[in-house]
Amino acid sequence: MLFSSTLLKRGLITWKTNWCRTFFGRRKTPDLGTCNIITSVGNVSPERPIPEHIAKPPYYFVRNSPSTGEGQPEIKSQEQIRGMRESCRLAATILNSACSFVKAGVTTDEIDEFVHDETIKANAYPSPLRYLGFPKSVCTSVNNVACHGIPDDRNLLDGDIINIDITVFFNGYHGDCSRTLLIGNVDDRGRYLVECTERCLSEAILCCGPGQPLCVIGKSIDKYAKRKKLSVMPAFAGHGIGSFFHGPPNILHFDNDFPGVMIPGMTFTIEPVLSLGTCEAEILEDAWTAVSIDNARSAQFEHTVLITNEGCEVLTVAS
């Protein structure tokens, strides 16, 4: 998620200073490969209806305000953890189904319809819908769209990469996960980006456990990205999650030394965005779609995790 909190702003200043010291005058022009560039938003269909019997989060009725991610993280009870396991398992199951549905020629609006219908069939609510005014039930981010892409009438093309970001609200809890997919014949650079980003998330998860500083996640991601000659897009952070969609703690994906320790019962997302080009992004006219300023492709993978007494449990695993 894109954050504007004081914590993240201070973190970005620190990260940008360190990045400039490391790379200024030394970094070569990156090989961006070839892809179809997204430069404008498409036509967005009307909001899909939610049946009366589906339990809805408060922001369905009254538009909410952005979370700062600051404050004390929630430490969940065993009952809350059971609820999180169910919602996260459902989110991962729907994501698996959506990945099987996606292919060249399908529009991102058709992906939204598929995810919406599967969520409703499971008696759950598609969390993105109406969150801060978001008009759709899933985020679909293609090629140079870093995240928060709004599904529209654009057809997926051979050679595209697409991130599908699914969150469901089920039995009072949100479960959140995403995956970047290859559509047809993706070039070598695109494949490299997607493979490295998935591995980056896995390495970050290995850092998690009780007593570990939260900042080790960002340090791991930053170190891995530099090793692979990729850029972390620092404006997009992970977040606490539970009965709320976004809350403390902020999970910064770049090298940082901000305070906070992992405690058993915490649940949060880790969702790094890595780019073949520079780290900077801008928002298109729909006020949501974030694209790289150099048209470089980015990839993202996301899991919701639980800190346990023994280590870390990935909750977004399909049934």
Side-chain angles (χ1 to χ4, degrees), residues 4-25:
S4 59
S5 69
T6 303
L7 172 65
L8 185 55
K9 286 179 179 177
R10 286 191 284 123
L12 287 173
I13 291 170
T14 303
W15 180 90
K16 188 173 182 180
T17 300
N18 292 336
W19 186 89
C20 289
R21 287 174 181 165
T22 304
F23 289 106
F24 182 76

Side-chain angles (χ1 to χ4, degrees), residues 15 23 200 203-204 207 215-232 253-256 274:
W15 180 90
F23 289 106
C200 181
E203 291 204 2
C207 297
C215 65
V216 300
I217 296 171
K219 290 180 182 296
S220 170
I221 291 167
D222 198 82
K223 182 178 179 180
Y224 181 90
K226 286 177 179 176
R227 191 165 73 242
K228 296 298 183 179
K229 295 181 170 55
L230 299 170
S231 298
V232 180
H253 295 136
F254 51 87
D255 191 0
N256 70 92
L274 302 189

Side-chain angles (χ1 to χ4, degrees), residues 294-315:
D294 59 354
N295 291 329
R297 282 170 292 179
S298 58
Q300 182 180 33
F301 285 81
E302 175 184 11
H303 275 307
T304 299
V305 301
L306 164 70
I307 303 303
T308 68
N309 290 321
E310 294 76 29
C312 172
E313 177 184 345
V314 176
L315 297 179

